[in-house]
Amino acid sequence: IRLREGKTFHTFFMNGEKIGGLKGPGQEPPLYFHCHRELELFWVCKGTVKIGIENEVIQLNEGDVLLIRPDRIHGSNDCLKGDLIYRTILFSYDFVGSMENDVIRQNYIDPMFSVATGPYIFLSSKQQGCERLFHLLNDAYCVYEDSGRGFELLLKARILEFFYEVVKSGKILQKPEQTNARMGLFMKKMNHYISENYSDRIELNDAARHVSMSKGYFCRYFK
């Protein structure tokens, strides 16, 4: 499990002058596009940002929560109009799943990670009950930061309680996927290949061969 907080400031002062759109000490740029095998919970503590998930763009405001399912290409190149503070929790299926294929796992845990139920779940701060979800996630973040004895138990409990609230709200099922399945699989394979080999020289021929394509077709497809 991984937790982090990102801060991107729209303006800051340098030598007495107000500078916009630059990155200051200890600050982070908007999220680059990436994917990973963990489930991600993303929520905005301050500001507004547009997040792209494969072929969709979602605007998140303060208090909004986004559940991003595994292996989904997502990120942001949004030109911010104000300061942004966001938090994320990433965790694998093993952290919340069970070894037994029981009713809880089948009915509630598996659908959270399922690729057949859409790339994300968006929970707007304007929806009833979302404030409760927002506080649960911030509480989970504080539990992780404190890291007291047995904190993993309490952290897991907070995440499962978050799942309970999502299930109760009826948000566990999403609209059918619109993304071309073959395109999505190709992009995921490429993303993992680049992530695992970025420290070496990656040749175009090698990348195309990895997904069983000719160099020309690979370039057109990737574009």
Side-chain angles (χ1 to χ4, degrees):
I1 187 163
R2 292 179 284 159
L3 287 84
R4 66 189 290 267
E5 182 174 75
K7 299 180 181 180
T8 303
F9 296 102
H10 178 59
T11 58
F12 69 96
F13 287 89
M14 180 183 292
N15 298 328
E17 295 185 16
K18 191 175 182 182
I19 309 295
L22 298 179
K23 188 171 66 163
Q27 301 161 13
E28 299 180 3
L31 291 167
Y32 61 91
F33 280 83
H34 63 290
C35 74
H36 40 71
R37 294 182 172 93
E38 299 96 344
L39 184 86
E40 178 172 343
L41 300 175
F42 181 102
W43 68 103
V44 177
C45 299
K46 178 183 178 182
T48 298
V49 64
K50 292 179 181 177
I51 299 291
I53 305 179
E54 298 196 341
N55 66 333
E56 297 185 57
V57 177
I58 307 151
Q59 178 169 303
L60 276 77
N61 303 309
E62 183 175 331
D64 290 347
V65 177
L66 191 61
L67 183 152
I68 305 171
R69 289 191 166 92
D71 288 322
R72 301 296 179 168
I73 297 171
H74 59 281
S76 175
N77 52 16
D78 192 15
C79 295
L80 300 176
K81 296 180 174 62
D83 298 346
L84 172 68
I85 299 177
Y86 63 88
R87 286 176 170 176
T88 64
I89 300 178
L90 283 81
F91 53 90
S92 68
Y93 179 86
D94 293 339
F95 186 71
V96 290
S98 61
M99 296 185 67
E100 296 291 334
N101 193 15
D102 57 14
V103 174
I104 292 176
R105 174 177 161 182
Q106 293 174 6
N107 291 349
Y108 308 118
I109 303 300
D110 288 351
M112 291 288 178
F113 288 81
S114 172
V115 297
T117 50
Y120 67 89
I121 295 176
F122 173 62
L123 301 153
S124 170
S125 58
K126 297 177 182 178
Q127 295 171 334
Q128 185 177 5
C130 193
E131 185 178 356
R132 167 69 177 157
L133 297 174
F134 186 76
H135 287 308
L136 269 174
L137 292 178
N138 281 317
D139 189 30
Y141 191 88
C142 292
V143 168
Y144 182 85
E145 279 195 319
D146 292 343
S147 297
R149 182 177 174 82
F151 79 95
E152 297 93 343
L153 293 170
L154 188 54
L155 181 59
K156 184 172 182 176
R158 291 290 181 269
I159 291 173
L160 290 175
E161 189 174 356
F162 172 87
F163 281 0
Y164 164 72
E165 294 292 342
V166 173
V167 170
K168 190 173 69 172
S169 71
K171 282 285 186 177
I172 192 171
L173 296 178
Q174 275 290 91
K175 59 187 176 182
E177 294 191 66
Q178 299 174 349
T179 305
N180 182 294
R182 187 162 176 261
M183 169 71 85
L185 179 61
F186 160 74
M187 292 302 297
K188 289 166 196 169
K189 286 180 70 175
M190 274 311 308
N191 189 281
H192 290 316
Y193 177 76
I194 293 170
S195 296
E196 291 167 2
N197 297 280
Y198 71 90
S199 58
D200 302 321
R201 183 177 177 84
I202 300 177
E203 298 285 351
L204 182 57
N205 284 329
D206 295 335
R209 194 180 303 115
H210 180 71
V211 289
S212 304
M213 289 183 177
S214 69
K215 186 168 69 172
Y217 189 60
F218 174 89
C219 288
R220 291 193 298 273
Y221 212 62
F222 199 82
K223 182 178 180 181

